[in-house]
DNA sequence: CTGGCTGTTGCAAGGAGGTCGCAGCTCCGC
DNA sequence: GCGGAGCTGCGACCTCCTTGCAACAGCCAG
């Protein structure tokens, strides 16, 4: 699917919930879909958007990202001490392992969690966030302090 | 074990790493051990400490918590949009499920992760943080938006 | 294709949460 | 005790967001 089509798809969703399709929003979505493998911060998204539309303010980006998160289009994660990172919910049939020693980030597929998911549902009446989550830990072989 | 003894134990660790056992640090540890089932924020810890020692500054608490985290005595977690919460690492042979809808927090025992842990070690050369982590998701039956 | 209601925007100020520099103080090995 | 390394309170500062507001722009009815 082409990213323009996806942008329009999300904008349609936005409009169906009473929002409007503005050029700033289109540019933000375009950025998210183009860099969809990344985990950009709001600031990085803003910079990317401003290469095309220099007058888009950071607050606009934050406001729209909040709305997209409520709509389930993006997820945000706050790792460690830095700012939150955002990514498309649909892109994340994977999860993250972040090494607390060397900072390496590994993506693991979703299937590995299937049995855990079943246990939690059965024993704790709980659904793991289906789209994304992060586990802390460290590489088995990591020698950093 | 009595909490005073544990406080002394941690202070001994602090000293063995070149730090000093001051009265502010003793009070901070006492608070952590007394409220060990809670997940207090730095601000809550400061307030508790200040009931005994009003002159302890918040920055002192932050600095010591950082050091305790480096020593592996406490862990910090940033959930959602609020401030980080802290808790003793030794107390957390459990993990947290936080419902993104109603905010309910469930503690689950560590054993349920055993098989996941084995898979990640085998396939990804990764050790899950043995002390604590948090999973996002929602209650199966939760009806909040 | 225009008028106007309503949602959105840029801007700048504000705020929460945390960090830092420093002068004075305290711990503790000697 | 004494001296120097480490710690502290204080306040300024920083980052990452959030908010209030007046101007502006979608978009639907007519």
């Amino acid at each position: 699917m082409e990213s323009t089509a996806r942008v329009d798809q999300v904008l349609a969703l936005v409009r169906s919930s009473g929002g409007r399709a503005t050029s700033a929003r289109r540019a933000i979505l375009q950025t998210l879909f183009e860099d969809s493998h990344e985990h950009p911060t709001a600031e990085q998204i803003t910079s990317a958007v401003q290469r095309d539309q220099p007058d888009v303010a950071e607050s606009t980006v934050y406001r729209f990202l909040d709305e997209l998160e409520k709509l389930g289009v993006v997820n945000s994660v706050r790792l460690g001490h830095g700012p939150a990172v955002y990514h498309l919910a649909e892109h994340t049939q994977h999860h993250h392992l972040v090494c607390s020693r060397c900072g390496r980030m590994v993506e693991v597929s979703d299937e590995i969690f299937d049995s855990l998911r079943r246990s939690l549902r059965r024993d704790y009446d709980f659904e793991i966030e289906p789209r994304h989550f992060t586990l802390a830990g460290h590489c088995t072989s990591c020698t950093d302090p």
Side-chain angles (χ1 to χ4, degrees), chain A:
Chain A
M1 197 194 296
E2 220 200 87
S3 77
T4 308
R6 294 171 175 234
V7 168
D8 288 339
Q9 204 177 324
V10 174
L11 285 176
L13 175 64
V14 168
R15 295 199 41 203
S16 78
S17 76
R20 287 177 186 174
T22 67
S23 69
R25 293 178 168 197
R26 185 174 295 276
I28 292 166
L29 285 171
Q30 202 76 48
T31 299
L32 286 172
F33 280 107
E34 278 165 6
D35 300 347
S36 62
H37 312 302
E38 308 301 320
H39 294 79
T41 63
E43 197 197 354
Q44 290 167 334
I45 295 167
T46 305
S47 303
V49 166
Q50 286 175 344
R51 282 199 284 278
D52 280 330
Q53 304 199 28
D55 285 345
V56 172
E58 199 160 16
S59 57
T60 299
V61 174
Y62 276 110
R63 281 187 283 226
F64 191 45
L65 286 171
D66 273 1
E67 188 170 338
L68 288 176
E69 192 164 19
K70 283 185 191 124
L71 291 172
V73 175
V74 304
N75 289 115
S76 70
V77 198
R78 294 168 73 200
L79 299 172
H81 280 207
V85 300
Y86 295 82
H87 54 80
L88 292 170
E90 64 174 353
H91 264 249
T92 48
Q93 281 312 324
H94 70 260
H95 306 277
H96 297 140
L97 306 174
V98 181
C99 176
S100 60
R101 298 183 184 171
C102 69
R104 180 173 75 114
M105 184 164 89
V106 197
E107 303 196 344
V108 304
S109 71
D110 193 58
E111 293 81 54
I112 200 169
F113 296 99
D114 283 350
S115 107
L116 174 65
R117 205 185 297 279
R118 274 193 301 275
S119 310
L120 290 176
R121 190 182 299 132
R122 193 183 57 234
D123 300 338
Y124 292 94
D125 183 37
F126 197 88
E127 287 293 323
I128 296 179
E129 168 59 52
R131 292 185 285 259
H132 179 271
F133 58 82
T134 302
L135 294 176
H138 59 88
C139 315
T140 306
S141 53
C142 192
T143 52
D144 290 11

